[in-house]
Amino acid sequence: MSEKLQKVLARAGHGSRREMEAWIAAGRISVDGEIASLGDRVESDVKVRIDGRAISIKSEEDVVCRVIAYHKPEGEICSRKDPEGRPTVFDRLPKTRDSRWVAVGRLDINTSGLLLFTSDGELANRLMHPSNEVEREYAVRTFGEVNDACIQRLRMGVTLEDGPASFDKVKAAGGEGMNKWWHVSLAEGRNREVRRLWESQEVQVSRLIRIRYGMIELPKSLPRGGWIELPIEQVNYLRQTAGMDEETRSILGTDKHSVARAKVRGAKIRRAVRKHKATATPNKPSRSRS
């Protein structure tokens, strides 16, 4: 059965459906030697090229939806490439065959914590749509005077430059003096929304860590710069949230081959973390002799 070209490309992990529509409109994609147009429908046996590079097209039954949880460190950007040469969240992700990882939302360069990636661009596109209202929870360290009236305003709502905003929950989580920790949650993903909400109360955010996305929590054992494959139960929770059919297969398992793959993934995580530490630690200046 034929499907829309942008849906097929998104499912294969080449980007979100919106990105694929933009690529088609820009003439970057061809089908059987002809430049594709928006609205084209394709079968699984066609020859598709992106920027002249041949890619494989698979039916929905042949694609396994994968999701990984990544512990983003501060200092990484959520782009595939950066003109300034800064590290990106894609640098240490595992390699995929005939697809690529698509980020579910973004975190700014100074925010760390849970970031989800999926091989299914359609899933990412649906989860990021405002209509889904997936709750995000953050651990926030603030600097400044925070009283009950301030918390009440943040819960009731304040007006930002792009409209009204509020936290669904604000809970104290320790700290001393002017430095306090809070757990806050909201169901939107507007740019720097958590920081801007606190700044509206003249309170500075000194640390910001995403610790939960929906029912998916940042594993306490996952080091910064590390990633972990989500089990099929959590994958299907996300697919259900996005209004999609359940996945019936997973690359995870209990057989000997799956155990061996898990060991390889563990080694990749350790290498990624070591790489993060190496790039995050500046070289000490050598002492000059007088």
Side-chain angles (χ1 to χ4, degrees), residues 39-50:
D40 283 355
R41 302 182 69 90
V42 297
E43 303 280 353
S44 59
D45 59 349
V46 297
K47 295 180 180 179
V48 178
R49 292 179 178 270
I50 298 178

Side-chain angles (χ1 to χ4, degrees), residues 142-146 174-182:
T142 61
F143 177 78
E145 183 66 32
V146 180
E176 296 180 353
M178 300 287 281
N179 291 286
K180 296 289 181 61
W181 279 96
W182 309 85

Side-chain angles (χ1 to χ4, degrees), residues 43-100:
E43 303 280 353
S44 59
D45 59 349
V46 297
K47 295 180 180 179
V48 178
R49 292 179 178 270
I50 298 178
D51 295 332
R53 177 176 57 86
I55 64 169
S56 62
I57 292 295
K58 297 181 180 180
S59 66
E60 191 168 4
E61 293 74 23
D62 294 330
V63 177
V64 177
C65 176
R66 297 174 61 190
V67 182
I68 58 174
Y70 177 63
H71 189 163
K72 176 192 176 298
E74 295 177 1
E76 290 185 351
I77 63 170
C78 291
S79 299
R80 294 188 184 276
K81 294 181 180 180
D82 180 52
E84 300 179 26
R86 293 172 296 183
T88 84
V89 294
F90 293 92
D91 290 344
R92 291 190 294 274
L93 300 187
K95 302 298 182 182
T96 60
R97 184 178 298 177
D98 299 327
S99 65
R100 67 176 188 168

Side-chain angles (χ1 to χ4, degrees), residues 3-283:
E3 296 180 281
K4 285 188 176 181
L5 177 58
Q6 60 265 35
K7 180 179 179 181
V8 173
L9 294 172
R11 186 177 62 229
H14 295 287
S16 69
R17 188 185 294 195
R18 196 170 297 173
E19 287 178 310
M20 296 302 96
E21 290 174 349
W23 289 11
I24 293 171
R28 297 177 57 184
I29 299 174
S30 66
V31 178
D32 289 337
E34 300 290 334
I35 298 298
S37 301
L38 284 173
D40 283 355
R41 302 182 69 90
V42 297
E43 303 280 353
S44 59
D45 59 349
V46 297
K47 295 180 180 179
V48 178
R49 292 179 178 270
I50 298 178
D51 295 332
R53 177 176 57 86
I55 64 169
S56 62
I57 292 295
K58 297 181 180 180
S59 66
E60 191 168 4
E61 293 74 23
D62 294 330
V63 177
V64 177
C65 176
R66 297 174 61 190
V67 182
I68 58 174
Y70 177 63
H71 189 163
K72 176 192 176 298
E74 295 177 1
E76 290 185 351
I77 63 170
C78 291
S79 299
R80 294 188 184 276
K81 294 181 180 180
D82 180 52
E84 300 179 26
R86 293 172 296 183
T88 84
V89 294
F90 293 92
D91 290 344
R92 291 190 294 274
L93 300 187
K95 302 298 182 182
T96 60
R97 184 178 298 177
D98 299 327
S99 65
R100 67 176 188 168
W101 294 112
V102 181
V104 180
R106 304 169 69 90
L107 294 175
D108 68 48
I109 190 170
N110 295 317
T111 301
S112 62
L114 178 63
L115 189 59
L116 299 180
F117 293 85
T118 177
S119 60
D120 188 334
E122 177 65 13
L123 174 61
N125 188 58
R126 292 196 185 193
L127 288 173
M128 288 185 287
H129 197 277
S131 63
N132 275 312
E133 296 187 342
V134 181
E135 186 177 69
R136 291 93 156 158
E137 184 175 356
Y138 297 82
V140 188
R141 186 176 69 188
T142 61
F143 177 78
E145 183 66 32
V146 180
N147 54 34
D148 291 342
C150 172
I151 298 300
Q152 185 68 10
R153 287 191 294 270
L154 290 172
R155 286 174 174 157
M156 296 299 294
V158 299
T159 301
L160 304 178
E161 58 266 30
D162 53 356
S166 64
F167 289 128
D168 296 329
K169 298 176 184 176
V170 183
K171 182 179 178 181
E176 296 180 353
M178 300 287 281
N179 291 286
K180 296 289 181 61
W181 279 96
W182 309 85
H183 282 190
V184 301
S185 63
L186 70 173
E188 290 184 313
R190 281 189 271 170
N191 184 41
R192 299 184 71 254
E193 188 170 6
V194 174
R195 295 181 186 275
R196 290 188 292 135
L197 274 164
W198 284 105
E199 289 168 359
S200 73
Q201 306 303 303
E202 299 184 353
V203 176
Q204 179 184 351
V205 173
S206 55
R207 287 286 304 280
L208 183 57
I209 308 166
R210 183 195 280 170
I211 57 176
R212 181 172 59 84
Y213 182 91
M215 293 178 60
I216 310 297
E217 296 182 349
L218 177 66
K220 294 181 180 179
S221 60
L222 186 63
R224 288 184 300 165
W227 56 269
I228 188 171
E229 188 99 21
L230 295 189
I232 192 169
E233 295 81 9
Q234 291 185 319
V235 171
N236 281 332
Y237 156 71
L238 293 170
R239 292 181 68 85
Q240 182 182 20
T241 300
M244 301 175 68
D245 293 336
E246 288 191 351
E247 176 61 83
T248 59
R249 296 161 298 166
S250 173
I251 70 167
L252 300 178
T254 58
D255 59 284
K256 292 182 180 180
H257 295 293
S258 297
V259 173
R261 287 196 295 269
K263 290 182 179 179
V264 171
R265 286 193 293 273
K268 287 182 178 179
I269 290 173
R270 289 191 292 272
R271 287 198 297 271
V273 173
R274 286 198 297 269
K275 180 179 178 182
H276 164 69
K277 289 180 178 178
T279 56
T281 304
N283 294 326

